[in-house]
Amino acid sequence: PQDEMLDYMHNQMSDNVLKVDTVRSLQAHNREYIYYRTDHHWSALGAYYAYQALCEAAGMEPVALEDMEYKNQGEMIGSIYGKVPYPKRLKKDELECWIPQGNITMYRSETTFSEFPMIRDVSNEKSEGKYCAFLAADAPIVHIVNDDIPDGPNCLVVKDSFGNCYVPYLSQNYHNVYAIDYRKYWKYSMADFARKFNI
């Protein structure tokens, strides 16, 4: 069971490590649309509840859903759809997004190069693969800057694709958010990265 495994891991960590109980925060909302039906990822709403849990544990104020721009990007078919015997029996998903507000820029680099949208408009694209709307899909690294909080702290997230719809929320509490996909990023070790970018 995942909750027992995570409790075990947390119990092995130093008291100086901040632990976030995302499993129980999600369980409190298990009647809501927090996981997709045709995809293995959580939805942007499920990611939001994990973000809320982080803020609660860290003593930060989470941005409210109603303070972000809501966008329903239409019907979505995810990764599970093509792997089951009778996919047409699955109820298709909808890609809902909450877009954080502010003077925010996202780059696909540790330093400033080309800008990319945190949440891309895929409403007119095919239903398959719409989850790639978030965070430049599985880019090796993205760097989000919120110039509305220039004195805010910096954050490093080591993620896989579950982080894609989670990381944008962090832009509301941190000046710099760096998100590394551990499957693709090799430039710096985590310790060197944290030192270099003042995490």
Side-chain angles (χ1 to χ4, degrees), residues 20 22 25 42 46-56 60-64 68 166 169-174:
V20 181
T22 52
S25 68
W42 55 15
Y48 175 78
Y49 290 132
Y51 158 74
Q52 268 190 327
L54 168 71
C55 288
E56 182 181 335
M60 298 185 298
E61 187 68 31
V63 64
M68 293 181 273
Y166 169 79
Y169 298 124
L170 300 175
S171 68
Q172 303 298 278
N173 300 87
Y174 294 94

Side-chain angles (χ1 to χ4, degrees), residues 66-178:
E66 55 267 22
D67 291 337
M68 293 181 273
E69 178 190 345
Y70 172 76
K71 185 173 182 66
N72 187 322
Q73 302 219 47
E75 187 178 90
M76 181 186 103
I77 296 172
S79 59
I80 297 171
Y81 192 79
K83 297 179 181 176
V84 296
Y86 303 102
K88 293 193 175 174
R89 292 184 182 176
L90 296 176
K91 183 178 177 184
K92 292 180 183 174
D93 288 294
E94 289 188 351
L95 187 74
E96 295 180 302
C97 307
W98 285 267
I99 303 169
Q101 301 300 289
N103 186 13
I104 300 169
T105 312
M106 189 184 91
Y107 308 96
R108 289 181 69 170
S109 167
E110 303 89 332
T111 51
T112 305
F113 289 106
S114 301
E115 293 183 27
F116 285 80
M118 267 195 307
I119 300 172
R120 193 167 52 89
D121 184 354
V122 294
S123 53
N124 293 320
E125 295 184 15
K126 291 181 180 178
S127 300
E128 299 85 356
K130 276 192 175 181
Y131 187 77
C132 292
F134 297 104
L135 211 64
D138 292 332
I141 183 168
V142 296
H143 175 201
I144 300 169
V145 182
N146 186 342
D147 284 324
D148 288 341
I149 46 174
D151 298 325
N154 299 330
C155 175
L156 169 62
V157 179
V158 180
K159 67 163 196 72
D160 59 15
S161 55
F162 269 78
N164 294 354
C165 62
Y166 169 79
V167 169
Y169 298 124
L170 300 175
S171 68
Q172 303 298 278
N173 300 87
Y174 294 94
H175 174 53
N176 288 293
V177 178
Y178 301 94

